Amino acid sequence: MTKFTWYGHATHGVETDGHKLLIDPFFTGNPIASTSADAVDANFILISHGHGDHVGDTVAIAGRTGAKVISNFEIVNWLSTQGVEKVHPQHIGGGFTHPFGYLKLTQALHGSALPDGSYGGNPAGFLLTTNDGKKIYMAQDTGLFGDMQLIGDEGIDLAVLPIGDNFTMGPDDALRAVKLLRPKVVIPIHYNTWELIAQNPISWADKVQAETEAKVVVLAAGESFEF
Ligand code: NI
Ligand code: MN
C-alpha cells in the first residue's frame, strides 16, 4: 500500500514500504499548507528544482529529521553548503534504487535558480517505482512536453500534474498531458495557492474524465489517496 498526501501547492508526502518521502516541502509562507515544517516527518526529501516554493523548508526539515535529500547535483551541492548532511545527487534520465523504490529524474520545462540566485541545474520531475511495482509520476513544475508519451509508456498508476497555469501547465495543457501519460489516476497540484494560479479543479476533473480513461482524485490540502 502506498499513501500519497497533498499538503498544498506542490508539496506532497509519499509513504511506501515503511519509508516517508517528502516532495518539495514548502510550508513556511505557503498560504494553503495543511501542516508546518515543525510537524512533518520524513526519511527522504525530494527536490524537483531550485525555486523557493519547492526548496522551501528543506534545510530545516532535513536538520530536524536527518532525512536524506535527493535532487539534481547542483541543488544537493548547494544544500550541502547550507548544512544539509545526507544528500544523494541524481540527474535527468538517471535512476537509482533507494530503500523506498527506484527513482528516476525526468525532464521538466521550467527554471531552477536557487533562492539566493545560485545556479540550480535543470528542473526535473520524478518517476517513482515503488517496491511493490506501482509507478508514480510527479511532474512538479513543467510545461507540456511531447515526451510525456514516453513516460506514459512505462504504465503510470498515479500521475501528479500541475494545473495552475501562468508558471506551469494550465488546465488545457494538463488535459493533453493526461492523454499522453495515460495514467490510471491523476491528482492536480500547483493551483489555488495564490490568485495568480487560481483554478477550478472540479471542472478540470469533469473534463478529464469525459475525455480520457483516467480517474481524477481532487484532494483538499492535508487529504490522502491510498493505492
Ligand atoms: Ni518553479
Ligand atoms: Mn512552483
Side-chain angles (χ1 to χ4, degrees):
M1 185 73 90
T2 293
K3 183 177 176 184
F4 176 94
T5 302
W6 186 54
Y7 293 118
H9 198 56
T11 303
H12 334 301
V14 173
E15 288 179 49
T16 185
D17 201 15
H19 305 281
K20 290 183 177 173
L21 283 60
L22 194 54
I23 294 91
D24 290 349
F26 171 48
F27 298 101
T28 305
N30 177 350
I32 63 166
S34 63
T35 184
S36 71
D38 294 335
V40 77
D41 195 15
N43 310 120
F44 295 90
I45 301 172
L46 280 52
I47 309 296
S48 65
H49 66 288
H51 291 163
D53 59 319
H54 296 260
V55 172
D57 298 293
T58 298
V59 174
I61 297 168
R64 180 174 55 78
T65 62
K68 179 183 281 188
V69 180
I70 303 166
S71 188
N72 72 34
F73 184 79
E74 293 85 354
I75 290 174
V76 301
N77 276 353
W78 182 83
L79 288 167
S80 297
T81 70
Q82 310 286 310
V84 174
E85 290 180 357
K86 286 195 272 177
V87 297
H88 181 104
Q90 292 189 215
H91 243 305
I92 292 168
F96 184 81
T97 302
H98 297 276
F100 55 81
Y102 183 77
L103 180 72
K104 189 156 74 174
L105 265 56
T106 58
Q107 71 161 317
L109 298 180
H110 197 65
S112 188
L114 284 153
D116 65 0
S118 296
Y119 177 62
N122 289 307
F126 299 109
L127 182 60
L128 169 62
T129 308
T130 63
N131 290 333
D132 61 355
K134 288 176 188 134
K135 296 234 187 213
I136 310 174
Y137 171 55
M138 294 175 276
Q140 303 307 96
D141 287 14
T142 187
L144 179 68
F145 53 90
D147 284 354
M148 285 181 177
Q149 180 88 32
L150 295 176
I151 297 171
D153 287 346
E154 297 216 19
I156 306 299
D157 293 291
L158 171 62
V160 180
L161 302 179
I163 66 162
D165 221 347
N166 193 73
F167 297 118
T168 68
M169 292 189 285
D172 291 345
D173 278 355
L175 170 61
R176 296 171 72 191
V178 174
K179 291 176 180 174
L180 293 171
L181 290 162
R182 295 151 282 149
K184 290 194 181 107
V185 175
V186 58
I187 292 177
I189 61 160
H190 213 278
Y191 67 94
N192 289 355
T193 320
W194 307 287
E195 188 56 37
L196 198 55
I197 55 172
Q199 297 295 341
N200 182 337
I202 304 300
S203 57
W204 184 74
D206 289 345
K207 206 168 180 186
V208 170
Q209 290 181 158
E211 294 189 29
T212 77
E213 301 289 302
K215 177 189 172 195
V216 182
V217 175
V218 176
L219 297 174
E223 284 184 341
S224 299
F225 171 70
E226 292 187 29
F227 64 109

